[in-house]
């Protein structure tokens, strides 16, 4: 069990899609203790909730999950 | 949009927010802000539902209020929208 990495601390990491490049090398994005070859999903927090009429149109109440496909990389 | 369609839209809007909140609470069962929002939106949704049912009839076969006629069987069905 000691190989179990506490997923909670990956919440503190900032890998936001808005900046133009994810920080790829591991020592900069403090995920060095995570084994490669696995996928990790940052823990979601309750924030930025759309008004419900907007949410119905956008397909989510969570602004940070409102990620429309724009046909190209979002830069 | 007549009142019936408006109420249905309001109900769909509230229920959408409610179900999205439920999905979040599945994985964050003790998140207090989510629980507060859940209480709020659940209340909104049920009051809209009650208003719709009292004005326009049952939404499901379990919503029938009249005691002498099982109004669920009468037209129109709730999902039948006039074009």
């Amino acid at each position: 069990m000691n190989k179990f990495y506490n997923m909670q601390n990956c919440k503190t990491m900032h890998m936001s899609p808005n900046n133009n490049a994810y920080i790829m090398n591991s020592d900069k994005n403090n995920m060095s203790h995570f084994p490669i070859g696995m996928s990790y999903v940052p823990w979601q927090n309750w924030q930025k909730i759309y008004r419900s009429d907007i949410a119905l149109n956008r397909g989510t109440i969570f602004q940070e999950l409102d990620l429309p496909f724009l046909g190209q990389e979002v830069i | 949009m007549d009142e019936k369609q408006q109420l249905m839209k309001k109900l769909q809007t509230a229920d959408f927010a409610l179900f999205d909140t439920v999905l979040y609470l599945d994985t964050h069962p003790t998140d207090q802000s989510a629980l507060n929002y859940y209480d709020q939106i659940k209340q909104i949704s049920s009051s809209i539902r009650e208003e719709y049912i009292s004005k326009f009839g049952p939404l499901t076969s379990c919503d029938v209020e009249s005691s002498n006629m099982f109004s669920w069987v009468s037209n129109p069905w709730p999902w039948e929208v006039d074009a």
Side-chain angles (χ1 to χ4, degrees):
Chain A
M1 254 324 251
N2 61 1
K3 288 234 354 125
F4 174 74
Y5 295 94
N6 173 354
M7 287 306 174
Q8 291 308 322
N9 61 28
C10 76
K11 277 193 285 185
T12 57
M13 182 188 58
H14 299 291
M15 289 196 75
S16 94
N18 331 47
N19 56 28
N20 48 22
Y22 287 98
I23 304 164
M24 291 323 287
N25 53 42
S26 60
D27 52 9
K28 283 222 184 70
N29 60 31
N30 79 18
M31 290 191 72
S32 47
H33 52 292
F34 280 68
I36 60 165
M38 304 279 174
S39 55
Y40 303 91
V41 177
W43 192 252
Q44 183 184 2
N45 295 309
W46 182 267
Q47 53 191 15
K48 298 197 209 99
I49 304 302
Y50 278 138
R51 217 181 48 213
S52 41
D53 51 342
I54 295 168
L56 185 64
N57 289 331
R58 301 308 304 160
T60 176
I61 61 173
F62 302 106
Q63 188 183 332
E64 52 191 348
L65 291 181
D66 181 4
L67 304 166
F69 177 67
L70 301 178
Q72 58 183 356
E73 195 206 354
V74 179
I75 37 175
Chain B
M1 255 225 280
D2 60 20
E3 193 197 357
K4 181 178 175 187
Q5 289 165 323
Q6 269 167 5
L7 260 184
M8 178 61 92
K9 180 76 173 181
K10 263 175 73 176
L11 180 59
Q12 290 166 336
T13 302
D15 279 353
F16 177 82
L18 179 59
F19 291 133
D20 229 15
T21 306
V22 162
L23 287 175
Y24 180 88
L25 285 167
D26 281 345
T27 48
H28 303 65
T30 57
D31 185 314
Q32 197 49 56
S33 10
L35 286 164
N36 296 344
Y37 183 84
Y38 174 79
D39 292 338
Q40 210 189 333
I41 199 75
K42 189 173 62 166
Q43 179 48 40
I44 292 168
S45 168
S46 61
S47 56
I48 297 170
R49 238 179 98 76
E50 268 160 39
E51 187 185 351
Y52 183 97
I53 289 169
S54 62
K55 285 183 179 165
F56 303 108
L59 280 165
T60 73
S61 52
C62 310
D63 296 330
V64 175
E65 286 175 340
S66 54
S67 56
N68 45 30
M69 160 68 182
F70 188 58
S71 51
W72 171 247
V73 297
S74 47
N75 289 330
W77 297 108
W79 55 84
E80 273 181 316
V81 232
D82 8 18

